[in-house]
Amino acid sequence: MRDAPVRLMSLDAFRGFTIAAMVLVNNPGDWGNLHAQLAHAKWNGWTFTDCIFPFFLFIGGVAMTLSLGRLAASGADKPRLLLKLTKRAFLIFLIGFLLNLIPNFDFDTVRIPGVLQRIALCTVLAAPIVVYLGWRAQLAVITALLALYSVLMLWVPVPGIGAGVLEPGKDFGAYVDRMLLDGHLWVQAKTWDPEGLVSTIPALCSQLFGVLAGRVLALELPRTEQTIWMLFAGLIFLALGSSLDAVLMPINKSLWTVSFCLWMTGWALLAFGVFYWLLDANPYAVVRERAGVWAKPFLIYGMNALFIFAFSGFVAKMLGFIKLAQPDGSQHSLGSTLYAPLKALPIGAANTSLLYAILFNACMFAIAYGMWRKRWFVKV
């Protein structure tokens, strides 16, 4: 084994691409008019939008190997490393919770789960696995966790419903969430949460697969060969996910089923493999330089990923919360007021909604670019 590189241009670019995609799909002009790939699958199945969260977790796993794993292997104080990471995860959880509180600050009904909260929880749970276990033990942990999740979801009965019912609000995970977090779940469902507790088990595995991918980068192999192995593994994971979709559990992001975990790991490996080949592994310097030009916006986004994630969510909430008086005496939100001129364009409702999302993304990129120019990098 060799020391993995501390910073990869490809990983920053992949992170920035994922942030840009997240901002795009989270901020349409009209939630009722979306292109199919820019909305989550209604239940079973998947879309481009469903790739974004698994990509975040996979990226986090790769980054943990390149930083935490490297420090642990070099003899750093492991308990201190875990404590530092736990503090960081707590801050990420707190940011996500505060975003849920805004704008009403109602602690009686605030949603406790969320995207940042799940990222924080997965990070805390993955850290000791990265620090103390080798790759074989890590693979064994992943296998055991996916098996445990399958048993819980398919064979543990839900009172009044039965076992293995994978329908909205009827699965074992939803039952656990109602017992522990009733009144604090996703407001659009209230009886279940897409970032619930039980489905965090396979989500953790998505991050641990990223950890294993990071270990591939530390192997004594040429970078071209590393790329080939990642792309080959991506195809294997897609085949496994597709097979389990048919025989075990359907691909389902809300439940983060085993098939979804494997399927999305496959896409993450393929996407990261392409970024890695173009930006870090390609033997031709001219190719890497040209790839770096088109990847630069993603690199800029990726350098302040957490800030853009949180800030874009805050701005979106404010656009809905701030009300402006209209000439007819009614009040419209600031967001709908800004969207009104676009609705007059003769390009179709879904395209108008997409145009608003692109303009919102451009505004977020302008902020990220300004921070990058001033070398302001927000870390927690």
Side-chain angles (χ1 to χ4, degrees):
M1 300 285 286
R2 68 181 177 208
D3 287 340
V6 176
R7 192 122 206 153
L8 289 173
M9 184 182 294
S10 54
L11 190 64
D12 283 332
F14 187 27
R15 183 187 293 110
F17 166 80
T18 307
I19 280 289
M22 182 276 296
V23 174
L24 183 74
V25 303
N26 279 1
N27 298 281
D30 181 358
W31 284 102
N33 288 287
L34 302 175
H35 288 289
Q37 291 299 316
L38 301 182
H40 288 293
K42 293 186 181 300
W43 190 244
N44 294 333
W46 67 285
T47 66
F48 168 76
T49 300
D50 294 315
C51 297
I52 294 172
F53 196 179
F55 282 7
F56 275 128
L57 292 175
F58 179 88
I59 291 166
V62 176
M64 288 181 78
T65 299
L66 300 185
S67 56
L68 191 65
R70 179 183 60 84
L71 291 172
S74 66
D77 187 321
K78 294 179 180 179
R80 182 170 294 181
L81 287 177
L82 295 181
L83 179 60
K84 180 179 179 180
L85 199 66
T86 300
K87 291 179 179 178
R88 181 176 185 272
F90 174 78
L91 288 176
I92 293 174
F93 187 98
L94 184 61
I95 292 169
F97 182 72
L98 290 175
L99 284 174
N100 285 353
L101 272 175
I102 296 171
N104 297 320
F105 290 92
D106 185 354
F107 285 90
D108 292 331
T109 60
V110 63
R111 182 190 178 201
I112 294 177
V115 171
L116 290 180
Q117 294 90 313
R118 172 167 282 181
I119 290 174
L121 187 55
C122 287
T123 299
V124 167
L125 294 174
I129 298 172
V130 175
V131 168
Y132 290 108
L133 301 181
W135 73 267
R136 292 182 180 84
Q138 290 170 355
L139 185 58
V141 168
I142 293 172
T143 303
L145 290 175
L146 292 179
L148 171 63
Y149 177 76
S150 299
V151 169
L152 293 175
M153 295 295 286
L154 296 176
W155 288 290
V156 176
V158 175
I161 297 174
V165 180
L166 303 181
E167 298 177 10
K170 297 182 179 181
D171 62 277
F172 178 78
Y175 169 64
V176 172
D177 288 340
R178 287 194 297 274
M179 283 199 305
L180 301 179
L181 300 172
D182 190 31
H184 298 279
L185 300 174
W186 188 39
V187 68
Q188 296 184 43
K190 297 184 179 180
T191 60
W192 60 277
D193 197 290
E195 279 77 53
L197 294 171
V198 175
S199 59
T200 298
I201 296 173
L204 169 61
C205 295
S206 294
Q207 183 148 342
L208 292 176
F209 280 128
V211 169
L212 291 177
R215 294 182 69 94
V216 172
L217 303 178
L219 293 175
E220 292 285 358
L221 294 173
R223 287 190 168 185
T224 297
E225 190 171 342
Q226 291 174 336
T227 305
I228 292 171
W229 278 112
M230 281 194 287
L231 296 177
F232 177 71
L235 295 175
I236 295 297
F237 272 93
L238 288 180
L240 289 173
S242 179
S243 299
L244 293 182
D245 174 58
V247 302
L248 183 69
M249 287 187 249
I251 292 173
N252 185 300
K253 186 264 179 188
S254 296
L255 301 178
W256 213 285
T257 53
V258 175
S259 56
F260 177 82
C261 175
L262 298 176
W263 180 260
M264 288 303 169
T265 297
W267 282 115
L269 283 164
L270 292 178
F272 178 53
V274 171
F275 275 100
Y276 184 65
W277 169 250
L278 290 174
L279 297 173
D280 290 306
N282 197 292
Y284 301 104
V286 64
V287 175
R288 296 198 305 272
E289 290 173 2
R290 289 178 179 176
V293 172
W294 64 257
K296 189 171 182 179
F298 296 142
L299 289 167
I300 292 170
Y301 249 149
M303 296 299 288
N304 271 305
L306 178 60
F307 174 83
I308 294 298
F309 190 115
F311 184 70
S312 64
F314 173 77
V315 171
K317 290 205 170 211
M318 289 299 98
L319 289 175
F321 177 71
I322 297 172
K323 305 297 182 182
L324 299 178
Q326 304 299 311
D328 61 2
S330 64
Q331 288 191 333
H332 293 174
S333 69
L334 176 57
S336 62
T337 301
L338 294 174
Y339 183 55
L342 299 180
K343 292 176 68 174
L345 297 175
I347 57 176
N351 290 330
T352 304
S353 183
L354 174 59
L355 176 59
Y356 179 90
I358 292 172
L359 293 174
F360 186 96
N361 215 333
C363 291
M364 291 300 107
F365 176 76
I367 293 170
Y369 179 74
M371 295 176 70
W372 177 79
R373 285 289 302 272
K374 292 182 177 294
R375 318 310 291 174
W376 293 347
F377 304 119
V378 179
K379 305 292 183 182
V380 296

